[in-house]
Amino acid sequence: MLLTATGHAQVAPAGAGPESARPAAPVGWSVTVGVAPVLSPAWQGSRDMTLSLFPDLRVNYGDILFASVPDGIGWNAINEGGWRAGPLAKIRFGRDENDGGSPFLIAGGSDALVGMGNVTAAGEVGGFVEKTFGPRREWRVRGEVRQGFGGHQGLVADASVSYRMRVGRSSVSFGPRATAASADFMQTYFGVDAGQSLRTGLVPYRVGGGLLSYGIGGAVVRPLDRRNVLTLFTSFERLGGAPAQSSLIRDRGQRNQFTLGLGYGFRFGL
């Protein structure tokens, strides 16, 4: 589970790495179940690290429909010539002021959000487009745009480039990524209003839209046999200038964010 999944006010990262690193889905329905311990910041921008145990459930219908926590629910409405595009829906876990908010937390936590109030879970609906190319289609460029509802009302846009190669039986992928967000999103997670300032002592901060984060991520996928697979995944991201200037981040958080996880999955057909 990836990019940035993880119970820290991002779309949850989970058991497998980027989509480009996974083996092609078989014809018909297939289901993958697994689990992934993930070491990550307690919330996006946190300096406190937590350990969460994420369940991993994936359902695919051939190369047409897909559903999982990290990739969301989507349809490859266009799927030819290395192009894929279609509608997409994702969930973003909420943020709890008492411990950071991961619903799968097993160790660690953060009290830096006390007084900031809770942020409920949010749905995000939009679309994606990606292109694979190269002699073995080892390169992938992908973009997503999603509108939030519920916990935040903002617009979120993701862009990534990844390169995949084989190392023995393993598949290795890595590349840069960046996320931009509207002012509504930024204010929800990084703004400090008058009430929050009074409760926390933080300087009020009104943040506009712009670059949310940028960084690099990678994954190593190691099949154990035809049905079992292990995935080691990691990412390093840095908050953009606007969120990094928030008094919440300057006084209680940090700009650099690191995630490390190991996932196990078992796949079977229906």
Side-chain angles (χ1 to χ4, degrees), residues 108-139:
S110 172
D111 60 4
L113 296 173
V114 173
M116 292 295 293
N118 297 333
V119 179
T120 60
E124 297 177 354
V125 176
F128 73 94
V129 60
E130 73 172 45
K131 171 66 174 178
T132 56
F133 57 95
R136 299 181 180 178
R137 292 193 174 176
E138 62 271 29
W139 288 96

Coordinates of all heavy atoms in Angstrom, one line a residue, residues 108-139:
G108 N 3.2 3.7 19.2 CA 3.5 5.1 19.0 C 2.3 6.0 18.9 O 1.2 5.6 19.2
G109 N 2.5 7.3 18.6 CA 1.4 8.2 18.6 C 1.9 9.6 18.6 O 3.1 9.8 18.7
S110 N 1.0 10.6 18.7 CA 1.4 12.0 18.7 C 0.4 12.8 19.5 O -0.8 12.6 19.3 CB 1.6 12.5 17.3 OG 1.8 13.9 17.3
D111 N 0.9 13.6 20.4 CA 0.0 14.6 21.1 C 0.1 16.0 20.6 O -0.4 16.9 21.2 CB 0.2 14.5 22.6 CG 1.6 14.9 23.0 OD1 2.4 15.3 22.1 OD2 2.0 14.8 24.2
A112 N 0.8 16.2 19.5 CA 1.0 17.5 18.9 C -0.2 18.2 18.4 O -0.2 19.4 18.1 CB 2.1 17.4 17.8
L113 N -1.3 17.4 18.1 CA -2.5 17.9 17.5 C -3.6 18.3 18.6 O -4.6 18.8 18.2 CB -3.1 16.9 16.6 CG -2.3 16.6 15.3 CD1 -2.9 15.4 14.5 CD2 -2.1 17.8 14.4
V114 N -3.3 18.1 19.8 CA -4.3 18.4 20.9 C -4.6 19.9 20.8 O -3.8 20.7 20.8 CB -3.7 18.0 22.3 CG1 -4.6 18.5 23.4 CG2 -3.4 16.6 22.4
G115 N -5.9 20.1 20.7 CA -6.4 21.5 20.6 C -6.7 21.9 19.1 O -7.4 22.9 18.9
M116 N -6.3 21.0 18.2 CA -6.5 21.3 16.8 C -7.9 20.8 16.3 O -8.4 21.2 15.3 CB -5.4 20.7 15.9 CG -4.1 21.4 16.0 SD -4.0 23.1 15.4 CE -4.3 22.9 13.7
G117 N -8.5 19.9 17.1 CA -9.7 19.3 16.7 C -9.5 18.1 15.7 O -8.4 18.0 15.1
N118 N -10.5 17.3 15.6 CA -10.4 16.1 14.7 C -10.8 16.5 13.3 O -11.6 17.4 13.1 CB -11.4 15.0 15.2 CG -11.0 14.5 16.6 OD1 -9.8 14.5 17.0 ND2 -11.9 14.0 17.3
V119 N -10.3 15.7 12.3 CA -10.7 15.8 10.9 C -11.2 14.5 10.5 O -10.5 13.5 10.7 CB -9.5 16.2 10.0 CG1 -9.9 16.2 8.5 CG2 -8.8 17.5 10.4
T120 N -12.5 14.4 10.1 CA -13.1 13.2 9.8 C -12.6 12.6 8.4 O -11.9 13.3 7.7 CB -14.6 13.3 9.7 OG1 -14.9 14.3 8.7 CG2 -15.2 13.8 11.0
A121 N -12.8 11.3 8.2 CA -12.4 10.7 6.9 C -13.1 11.4 5.8 O -14.2 12.0 5.9 CB -12.8 9.2 6.9
A122 N -12.4 11.4 4.6 CA -12.9 12.1 3.4 C -12.9 11.1 2.2 O -12.0 10.3 2.1 CB -12.0 13.3 3.1
G123 N -13.9 11.3 1.4 CA -13.9 10.6 0.1 C -13.3 11.5 -0.9 O -13.4 12.8 -0.8
E124 N -12.7 11.0 -2.0 CA -12.1 11.8 -3.0 C -12.5 11.1 -4.4 O -12.2 9.9 -4.6 CB -10.6 11.9 -2.9 CG -10.1 12.6 -1.6 CD -8.7 12.7 -1.5 OE1 -7.9 12.0 -2.3 OE2 -8.2 13.4 -0.5
V125 N -13.1 11.9 -5.2 CA -13.6 11.3 -6.5 C -13.1 12.1 -7.7 O -13.0 13.4 -7.6 CB -15.2 11.4 -6.5 CG1 -15.7 10.9 -7.9 CG2 -15.8 10.5 -5.4
G126 N -12.6 11.4 -8.7 CA -12.0 12.1 -9.8 C -11.7 11.2 -10.9 O -12.4 10.2 -11.3
G127 N -10.5 11.3 -11.5 CA -10.0 10.4 -12.6 C -8.5 10.4 -12.6 O -7.8 11.1 -11.9
F128 N -8.0 9.5 -13.5 CA -6.6 9.3 -13.6 C -6.3 9.1 -15.1 O -7.1 8.7 -15.9 CB -6.1 8.0 -12.8 CG -6.5 6.7 -13.4 CD1 -5.7 6.0 -14.3 CD2 -7.8 6.2 -13.1 CE1 -6.1 4.8 -14.8 CE2 -8.2 5.0 -13.7 CZ -7.4 4.3 -14.6
V129 N -5.0 9.3 -15.4 CA -4.5 8.9 -16.8 C -3.1 8.5 -16.6 O -2.3 9.1 -15.8 CB -4.6 10.1 -17.7 CG1 -3.9 11.4 -17.2 CG2 -4.2 9.7 -19.1
E130 N -2.6 7.5 -17.3 CA -1.2 7.1 -17.2 C -0.8 6.5 -18.6 O -1.6 6.1 -19.4 CB -1.0 6.0 -16.1 CG -1.6 4.7 -16.5 CD -1.2 3.6 -15.4 OE1 -1.3 3.9 -14.2 OE2 -0.8 2.5 -15.8
K131 N 0.5 6.6 -18.7 CA 1.1 6.1 -20.0 C 2.4 5.3 -19.6 O 3.2 5.7 -18.9 CB 1.5 7.3 -20.9 CG 2.4 6.9 -22.1 CD 1.6 6.1 -23.1 CE 2.4 5.9 -24.4 NZ 1.8 5.0 -25.3
T132 N 2.4 4.1 -20.1 CA 3.6 3.2 -20.0 C 4.3 3.2 -21.4 O 3.7 3.1 -22.4 CB 3.3 1.8 -19.5 OG1 2.3 1.2 -20.4 CG2 2.7 1.8 -18.1
F133 N 5.7 3.2 -21.3 CA 6.4 3.2 -22.6 C 7.8 2.7 -22.3 O 8.2 2.4 -21.2 CB 6.5 4.7 -23.1 CG 7.1 5.7 -22.2 CD1 8.5 6.0 -22.3 CD2 6.3 6.3 -21.3 CE1 9.0 6.9 -21.4 CE2 6.9 7.3 -20.4 CZ 8.2 7.5 -20.5
G134 N 8.6 2.5 -23.4 CA 9.9 1.9 -23.3 C 9.9 0.5 -24.0 O 8.8 0.0 -24.3
P135 N 11.0 0.0 -24.3 CA 11.1 -1.3 -24.9 C 10.3 -2.4 -24.2 O 9.7 -3.3 -24.9 CB 12.6 -1.7 -24.9 CG 13.3 -0.3 -24.8 CD 12.4 0.5 -24.0
R136 N 10.3 -2.4 -22.9 CA 9.5 -3.3 -22.1 C 8.5 -2.6 -21.3 O 8.0 -3.2 -20.3 CB 10.4 -4.2 -21.2 CG 11.5 -5.0 -22.0 CD 12.4 -5.8 -21.1 NE 13.3 -6.6 -21.8 CZ 14.3 -7.3 -21.2 NH1 14.3 -7.4 -19.9 NH2 15.1 -8.0 -22.0
R137 N 8.1 -1.4 -21.7 CA 7.1 -0.6 -20.9 C 7.6 -0.5 -19.5 O 6.8 -0.6 -18.6 CB 5.7 -1.2 -21.0 CG 5.1 -1.1 -22.4 CD 3.7 -1.4 -22.5 NE 3.1 -1.1 -23.8 CZ 1.9 -1.3 -24.2 NH1 1.0 -1.8 -23.3 NH2 1.5 -1.1 -25.4
E138 N 8.9 -0.2 -19.3 CA 9.4 -0.1 -18.0 C 9.2 1.3 -17.4 O 9.4 1.5 -16.2 CB 10.9 -0.4 -18.0 CG 11.8 0.5 -18.8 CD 11.9 0.0 -20.3 OE1 11.0 -0.6 -20.8 OE2 12.9 0.4 -20.9
W139 N 8.8 2.3 -18.2 CA 8.5 3.6 -17.7 C 7.0 3.8 -17.5 O 6.2 3.4 -18.4 CB 9.1 4.7 -18.6 CG 10.6 4.8 -18.6 CD1 11.5 4.2 -19.5 CD2 11.4 5.5 -17.7 NE1 12.7 4.5 -19.1 CE2 12.7 5.3 -18.0 CE3 11.1 6.3 -16.6 CZ2 13.8 5.9 -17.3 CZ3 12.1 6.9 -15.9 CH2 13.4 6.7 -16.3

